[in-house]
Amino acid sequence: MANTGGFEVVAEISKSTVDQVLRAARKSNVIPQGFEEENPIAFGPYLTERVNVVVPEVGLSAELLPATNSIRIHIPVEMDVEIQNP
């Protein structure tokens, strides 16, 4: 019998399947497509006026790591930061 590490179900999936799941999660907003933060955030010695964050679909991917039986997820982020009274 296979060693499942104590789990009842073990599945083997391909990288392309994991990438499809990530894209579907972004489209359904499980992984946010973006957000705007209007509360001040410390950005170095300055405070922000507004921060707009976008998670583009291009670059969203997974890397399978069989040696550690894990997955590394790459989530690209684009940020537009407006500083208070520069």
Side-chain angles (χ1 to χ4, degrees), residues 1-13 69:
M1 182 168 215
N3 179 3
T4 62
F7 294 99
E8 292 182 23
V9 177
V10 175
E12 184 175 325
I13 57 176
N69 200 24

Side-chain angles (χ1 to χ4, degrees), residues 9 12 23 31 38 40 42-43 45 56 72 74 83 85:
V9 177
E12 184 175 325
R23 285 192 298 276
I31 296 174
E38 294 186 7
F43 197 78
R72 180 175 293 136
H74 301 273
I83 301 296
N85 302 321

Side-chain angles (χ1 to χ4, degrees), residues 7-79:
F7 294 99
E8 292 182 23
V9 177
V10 175
E12 184 175 325
I13 57 176
S14 67
K15 179 186 177 330
S16 64
T17 301
V18 176
D19 287 341
Q20 287 175 358
V21 169
L22 286 173
R23 285 192 298 276
R26 184 187 170 279
K27 284 183 181 177
S28 66
N29 229 18
V30 171
I31 296 174
Q33 296 180 21
F35 63 91
E36 187 171 311
E37 179 59 58
E38 294 186 7
N39 295 317
I41 299 172
F43 197 78
Y46 306 101
L47 289 177
T48 62
E49 182 71 30
R50 183 177 300 110
V51 177
N52 187 28
V53 178
V54 176
V55 178
E57 187 171 346
V58 174
L60 185 64
S61 66
E63 179 183 353
L64 303 180
L65 305 169
T68 57
N69 200 24
S70 59
I71 299 172
R72 180 175 293 136
I73 297 174
H74 301 273
I75 302 177
V77 175
E78 297 173 2
M79 292 177 48

